[in-house]
Amino acid sequence: MSEQSDSQKELSKQKGIRQAEDDLVIWIQYALDKTNYGDLEESQFRNLVRVADTTESAEAIKNFIRYQVGRDKKWGRGKGSLAEKIIEDIDGNIKKAAQIIAECCETDYKPTWIELIRRYLGYGARHLKYKRDGDKP
């Protein structure tokens, strides 16, 4: 069996990421719909999206979430909180999806993991906007 070229691997990886998008949307919508958190503002969630866009580190993203939890209660605290659910998804569902894609494409999972986290959080910003303003008459 011949090895895939780098461009073939990248195309396969991007296809895998696109195929994971439904799951990402479902996971973040569930997190925003079913967890406890305060009056989280769009701008605060967008700050998290910006952090994710400027780092290659899942640990840095989780560190920023924990920092926000320490500052105020808008992200929720403890078990059942939005912050905890996002971290759980990053370390669980999203990481697992990235590992599957990477294994399939014979690439390192970390860049794929970061890309999936970025998309997950981006979809979260959209859903939060809807929750705050879109379902009002």
Side-chain angles (χ1 to χ4, degrees), residues 104-117:
C104 213
C105 304
E106 301 170 11
T107 61
D108 181 24
Y109 83 92
K110 282 191 172 186
T112 304
W113 189 23
I114 294 298
E115 178 65 23
L116 292 176
I117 293 168

Side-chain angles (χ1 to χ4, degrees), residues 55-85:
T55 186
E56 298 301 318
S57 168
E59 293 304 317
I61 296 166
K62 295 185 296 184
N63 175 268
F64 182 79
I65 294 168
R66 290 182 181 115
Y67 165 72
Q68 293 300 320
V69 168
R71 290 184 62 212
D72 61 47
K73 295 180 181 172
K74 291 184 179 186
W75 289 87
R77 291 204 173 141
K79 195 147 181 71
S81 70
L82 176 60
E84 206 55 42
K85 180 62 177 158

Side-chain angles (χ1 to χ4, degrees), residues 17 20 24-25 27-28 45 48-62 65 86-98 101 109-125:
I17 289 170
L24 298 173
V25 171
W27 295 332
I28 191 60
F45 202 95
L48 174 58
V49 173
R50 269 192 292 286
V51 167
D53 284 343
T54 59
T55 186
E56 298 301 318
S57 168
E59 293 304 317
I61 296 166
K62 295 185 296 184
I65 294 168
I86 290 173
I87 291 170
E88 180 183 298
D89 278 345
I90 288 171
D91 285 340
N93 291 331
I94 300 171
K95 186 174 188 178
K96 194 178 303 171
I101 293 167
Y109 83 92
K110 282 191 172 186
T112 304
W113 189 23
I114 294 298
E115 178 65 23
L116 292 176
I117 293 168
R118 288 174 179 154
R119 289 178 185 231
Y120 168 89
L121 295 173
Y123 299 136

Side-chain angles (χ1 to χ4, degrees), residues 25-41:
V25 171
I26 290 165
W27 295 332
I28 191 60
Q29 286 181 179
Y30 179 88
L32 285 162
D33 292 346
K34 304 294 183 186
T35 61
N36 301 316
Y37 56 96
D39 187 24
L40 183 61
E41 296 166 30

